[in-house]
Amino acid sequence: MNVIERIEISQHQCELDPPFPAAWDSQPRQKFPAAIVRVIDSEGREGIGSGDAMYGFDDFRSLFIGKDPLAIERHSAVIDNIGFHAGRCWPLEVALWDLIGKIKAQPLWQLLGGTSSRLKAYASSGTHRPTEQVVALAEQIRDAGITAMKLRFGRHRLDDDLAVLAAVRDAVGQELDLMVDCNQGWRMPWDTQAPWDLAKASEVAEELIRHHVLWMEEPLYRGDYPGMRALNDLTGERLKIAGGEMTREPYEFREMLRQQCLDVYQPDAVCSIGLLGLSRLAKEVTTAGKWFTPHTWGNGIGLAANLHLTAGAVGPAGCPYLEYPFDPPEWTPEVRDFPLTTAIKPDAEGWLTLSDEPGLGIALDEARLAATRANQATWQ
């Protein structure tokens, strides 16, 4: 019987020069960390995953060694239990799925539903650059064939955020769908600034509606269900409310669905619930008439996993756009996907297309991983 023979985890840090001034982090990022998870079976096949840092996993490694790699229901349940006692170990589930795909000689998008092999990308910016630079980026995105872009709010003055939005809309007209991420759902450990209240979020929402924004992301604290429901009632068909990127539990998403909190659900398979759980949740979300479009702000392994998940489970009908992190010069596909031999890129019409290669269909750049080996998973 083929069994899981070993699980290897390594930490890596790609130097960011210049540092990346992420909109949601008051400390510019000096390094880009990646935890690489490898699951090797007794026949020598290897599945890979990446995403969260895998803190606390070593105490539970024995729960998987010697087990059938195809027992994904069991493995997903154990990983969910570990998340209660230690860290979020969902990158391991991604690696197991990659291994399953290689064992069965099928791509993940087929194993996870087979709905589609491609999705439209939206370019997700991550900084608070000067207005003229954001406008230039929007024009670059439009000219590359991508038809949607996400802007970041959170500058010192709301008027500055709105001025950037207005300038971008004036420059691209209706050639780009625009989304706005307010980054109010969660904070970095050292950031104690209070999130917006409903009155503030409502004020911003009306301005976004005036500029024909498609969705307003993370406008309130992630646990403020009454506020999200009230905001969604206020905006109605005029503006979609999005969130859930760092929500951890299935029951939380189901409660948000019950209370009609969101129009767009954004859990990330490498941080919450995993591919198995999210493939089921995605169908619940789309059956309820909502969109399912995961957060993907990590490296290319997580992007590939969420692309397989969403294309396979619901396809373009349930996910009109999938997040594609892109904010040069610091955040290019090559930097974002440094663990991989080939960076993931959309085609000239903005489609992210998956192959029929087994599993995730991606390969690790072993030389780059050796050169970036580290003993910790931090941004500094």
Side-chain angles (χ1 to χ4, degrees):
M1 173 183 170
N2 181 39
V3 299
I4 298 171
E5 188 169 88
R6 65 185 189 277
I7 299 170
E8 299 175 355
I9 301 172
S10 57
Q11 303 293 344
H12 305 265
Q13 290 181 323
C14 175
E15 297 286 340
L16 297 174
D17 185 19
F20 180 62
W24 57 92
D25 191 346
S26 59
Q27 301 180 12
R29 300 185 166 203
Q30 310 288 330
K31 300 174 182 177
F32 178 29
I36 303 298
V37 181
R38 305 171 193 251
V39 180
I40 300 94
D41 70 8
S42 53
E43 296 183 9
R45 289 169 294 224
E46 178 180 278
I48 60 173
S50 186
D52 213 57
M54 296 294 293
Y55 292 138
F57 175 71
D58 284 344
D59 291 344
F60 304 99
R61 188 184 305 266
S62 62
L63 298 176
F64 299 91
I65 304 303
K67 303 298 183 181
D68 180 358
L70 300 178
I72 194 64
E73 291 272 1
R74 181 263 180 196
H75 300 323
S76 184
V78 173
I79 293 167
D80 183 53
N81 290 340
I82 292 171
F84 175 81
H85 295 278
R88 297 178 294 181
C89 295
W90 294 110
L92 171 61
E93 198 225 28
V94 172
L96 286 163
W97 273 106
D98 186 37
L99 178 58
I100 290 169
K102 290 168 181 174
I103 292 171
K104 294 189 173 184
Q106 293 185 61
L108 255 63
W109 66 268
Q110 288 186 352
L111 292 173
L112 292 168
T115 303
S116 174
S117 63
R118 65 178 191 163
L119 293 171
K120 277 275 193 179
Y122 75 85
S124 180
S125 69
T127 60
H128 294 150
R129 301 191 194 278
T131 302
E132 63 275 10
Q133 292 182 22
V134 182
V135 169
L137 176 60
E139 292 173 339
Q140 178 185 352
I141 288 165
R142 176 200 60 195
D143 294 346
I146 297 174
T147 57
M149 176 186 184
K150 186 161 75 182
L151 305 174
R152 301 280 174 167
F153 274 22
R155 293 168 177 82
H156 293 300
R157 298 188 325 129
L158 176 60
D159 285 348
D160 294 334
D161 287 327
L162 294 172
V164 171
L165 171 61
V168 170
R169 179 55 82 201
D170 287 345
V172 301
Q174 299 304 312
E175 294 178 283
L176 287 182
D177 281 332
L178 297 180
M179 303 83 151
V180 167
D181 193 335
C182 304
N183 285 127
Q184 300 299 310
W186 55 275
R187 293 280 187 258
M188 298 301 293
W190 47 84
D191 184 351
T192 59
Q193 182 179 3
W196 292 348
D197 59 14
L198 177 60
K200 179 71 170 181
S202 299
E203 172 193 351
V204 176
E206 293 297 341
E207 291 293 331
L208 301 192
I209 290 167
R210 194 163 65 84
H211 292 290
H212 308 289
V213 169
L214 179 60
W215 78 57
M216 181 186 195
E217 185 169 328
E218 301 284 347
L220 294 165
Y221 174 67
R222 64 186 180 278
D224 185 1
Y225 299 166
M228 285 188 276
R229 169 63 187 269
L231 184 64
N232 211 351
D233 286 344
L234 172 71
T235 58
E237 297 298 318
R238 301 180 298 158
L239 174 69
K240 295 183 182 297
I241 304 301
E245 67 185 41
M246 292 299 169
T247 299
R248 293 196 179 198
E249 301 287 351
Y251 70 82
E252 296 177 278
F253 285 105
R254 294 190 177 103
E255 184 61 17
M256 285 193 284
L257 274 170
R258 188 185 72 81
Q259 294 196 34
Q260 297 288 309
C261 293
L262 302 174
D263 302 297
V264 183
Y265 286 77
Q266 301 175 303
D268 188 330
V270 301
C271 296
S272 304
I273 305 175
L275 293 169
L276 180 64
L278 287 185
S279 66
R280 294 166 176 167
L281 178 66
K283 292 170 185 174
E284 292 180 44
V285 166
T286 55
T287 297
K290 313 298 182 183
W291 289 351
F292 180 89
T293 173
H295 167 275
T296 69
W297 199 279
N299 65 55
I301 301 173
L303 174 58
N306 282 293
L307 176 55
H308 276 277
L309 159 69
T310 313
V314 299
C319 175
Y321 294 112
L322 186 79
E323 183 171 41
Y324 183 77
F326 181 74
D327 203 337
E330 302 94 349
W331 209 259
T332 62
E334 288 74 21
V335 169
R336 183 198 64 213
D337 299 350
F338 81 91
L340 303 180
T341 56
T342 304
I344 298 169
K345 297 180 180 180
D347 65 21
E349 296 180 340
W351 288 96
L352 293 165
T353 302
L354 295 161
S355 72
D356 288 326
E357 292 294 314
L360 289 169
I362 55 178
L364 295 175
D365 185 336
E366 298 292 358
R368 189 74 188 278
L369 290 176
T372 56
R373 192 71 180 253
N375 57 10
Q376 58 183 352
T378 68
W379 296 93
Q380 302 299 323

